[in-house]
């Protein structure tokens, strides 16, 4: 058996999330079906670094699986891509040690959220951005975002339905940028892990602060409250991208938390 680690990107619009679900089109299910064809009927379990929800996209999702075939990595990429639907593309492949696990070996993840700030929903952006039609103060969002850095109990930012009991996570890096040409707000979050809907909830809170609905210092209060009722908004799935999974220590350039 060979253990393959592969990085892929996908448009999550037409998928009912990453994880296999009965009678639903999912990323995991699509990949497993292709591997089943390649092994002439053998069931192959695909492990993902994270379970993206319906409508969420990926630039750097990472998977691993064990295959009873010895296929060179270049051929594996070609074989997989030739059988994939057009909303999935494999980008890299390597053969890894049997002790490697795509989820448990990860050191951190990078999520990006893109917000369209146009007054009306752009029909060509509606599946690939969130939408916030209100005036925002970029400086307020940048200032507030820095209070997310460091190790905190993020109970206030965890949606119901998550099975994780320990809600302490460390955010290493938060960056807020504005693309004037596209009129889009770009939010980047890097941490050692994220709770269910955590990035979408943080984004919703920052947008409320940027529009003046909340004070700039409200992030600290919401974190301390450890109560989801203090932060009930959730940004749409369409603007969220799993951008990268780190399997080495987080580079110093992405360790803004050390300034806290």
């Amino acid at each position: 058996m060979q253990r393959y680690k592969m990085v892929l990107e996908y448009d999550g619009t037409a998928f009912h999330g990453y994880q296999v679900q009965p009678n639903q089109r999912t990323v995991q299910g699509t990949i497993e079906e292709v591997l089943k064809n390649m092994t002439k009927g053998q069931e192959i379990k695909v492990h993902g670094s994270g379970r993206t929800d319906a409508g969420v996209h990926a630039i750097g999702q990472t998977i691993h699986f064990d295959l009873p075939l010895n296929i060179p990595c270049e051929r594996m990429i070609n074989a997989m891509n030739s059988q994939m639907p057009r909303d999935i593309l494999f980008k890299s492949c390597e053969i890894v040690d049997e002790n490697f696990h795509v989820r448990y070996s990860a050191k951190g993840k990078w999520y990006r959220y893109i917000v369209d700030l146009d007054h009306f929903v752009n029909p060509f952006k509606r599946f690939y951005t969130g939408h916030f039609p209100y005036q925002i103060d970029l400086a307020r969002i940048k200032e507030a975002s820095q209070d997310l850095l460091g190790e905190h109990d993020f109970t206030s930012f965890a949606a119901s339905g998550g099975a994780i009991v320990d809600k302490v996570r460390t955010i290493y890096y938060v960056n807020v940028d504005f693309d004037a040409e596209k009129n889009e707000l770009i939010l980047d979050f890097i941490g050692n892990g994220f709770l269910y809907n955590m990035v979408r909830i943080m984004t919703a809170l920052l947008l409320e602060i940027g529009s003046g609905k909340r004070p700039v210092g409200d992030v600290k209060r919401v974190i301390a409250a450890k109560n989801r009722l203090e932060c009930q908004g959730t940004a749409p799935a369409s603007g969220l991208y799993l951008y990268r999974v780190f399997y080495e220590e987080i580079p110093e350039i992405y360790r803004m938390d050390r300034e806290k």
Side-chain angles (χ1 to χ4, degrees), residues 113-151:
Y113 197 96
I114 303 176
V115 186
D116 175 27
L117 299 174
D118 291 344
H119 185 67
F120 295 106
V121 175
N122 184 322
F124 298 105
K125 292 183 179 182
R126 72 191 190 280
F127 295 134
Y128 307 106
T129 62
H131 181 244
F132 195 75
Y134 309 105
Q135 190 73 29
I136 63 167
D137 185 328
L138 189 63
R140 287 172 60 89
I141 296 178
K142 287 185 175 182
E143 181 180 350
S145 71
Q146 301 309 291
D147 289 332
L148 293 167
L149 292 170
E151 182 181 88

Side-chain angles (χ1 to χ4, degrees), residues 214-227:
R214 293 174 181 260
V216 173
D218 212 34
V219 169
K220 290 182 179 180
R221 183 190 67 81
V222 171
I223 290 174
K226 301 177 187 178
N227 186 346

Side-chain angles (χ1 to χ4, degrees), residues 156-159 197-206 208 213-214 228-236:
S156 295
F157 298 87
N197 280 355
M198 180 174 162
V199 174
R200 292 164 61 188
I201 296 168
M202 292 191 299
T203 297
L205 177 62
L206 291 176
E208 290 179 359
K213 187 176 180 180
R214 293 174 181 260
R228 174 73 169 105
L229 295 177
E230 296 294 333
C231 183
Q232 298 186 52
T234 304

Side-chain angles (χ1 to χ4, degrees), residues 8-216:
L8 65 150
E9 59 186 9
Y10 51 81
D11 175 346
T13 304
F15 289 105
H16 201 76
Y18 169 82
Q19 188 179 15
V20 166
Q21 298 182 53
N23 304 314
Q24 299 287 354
R25 184 176 188 257
T26 66
V27 176
Q28 181 185 5
T30 300
I31 297 170
E32 289 182 350
E33 189 62 32
V34 168
L35 291 173
K36 185 176 180 179
N37 292 336
M38 290 174 61
T39 56
K40 302 188 185 306
Q42 184 168 337
E43 299 286 347
I44 303 296
K45 175 71 172 179
V46 173
H47 301 267
S49 67
R51 301 171 179 178
T52 54
D53 287 337
V56 175
H57 313 290
I59 303 296
Q61 173 69 284
T62 309
I63 64 170
H64 87 254
F65 53 86
D66 295 328
L67 201 67
L69 301 172
N70 186 8
I71 302 176
C73 282
E74 184 176 350
R75 284 183 55 200
M76 176 63 77
I77 293 176
N78 291 336
M80 296 292 279
N81 282 336
S82 67
Q83 299 178 72
M84 284 294 139
R86 291 191 292 178
D87 43 8
I88 296 179
L89 180 69
F90 281 91
K91 301 162 66 176
S92 70
C93 172
E94 61 180 297
I95 295 173
V96 292
D97 185 84
E98 63 180 8
N99 294 319
F100 172 84
H101 192 286
V102 73
R103 181 179 174 189
Y104 302 122
S105 299
K107 303 293 187 182
K109 292 180 181 176
W110 178 345
Y111 280 95
R112 172 167 290 178
Y113 197 96
I114 303 176
V115 186
D116 175 27
L117 299 174
D118 291 344
H119 185 67
F120 295 106
V121 175
N122 184 322
F124 298 105
K125 292 183 179 182
R126 72 191 190 280
F127 295 134
Y128 307 106
T129 62
H131 181 244
F132 195 75
Y134 309 105
Q135 190 73 29
I136 63 167
D137 185 328
L138 189 63
R140 287 172 60 89
I141 296 178
K142 287 185 175 182
E143 181 180 350
S145 71
Q146 301 309 291
D147 289 332
L148 293 167
L149 292 170
E151 182 181 88
H152 306 287
D153 183 327
F154 283 98
T155 296
S156 295
F157 298 87
S160 60
I164 304 298
V165 175
D166 180 9
K167 295 182 171 58
V168 175
R169 298 291 184 274
T170 300
I171 302 296
Y172 303 119
Y173 177 90
V174 180
N175 190 63
V176 180
D177 204 358
F178 176 67
D179 186 328
E181 183 177 347
K182 295 181 179 180
N183 197 28
E184 293 175 354
L185 183 69
I186 302 167
L187 306 170
D188 287 298
F189 305 90
I190 298 176
N192 65 351
F194 293 88
L195 303 168
Y196 182 49
N197 280 355
M198 180 174 162
V199 174
R200 292 164 61 188
I201 296 168
M202 292 191 299
T203 297
L205 177 62
L206 291 176
L207 289 172
E208 290 179 359
I209 290 172
S211 66
K213 187 176 180 180
R214 293 174 181 260
V216 173

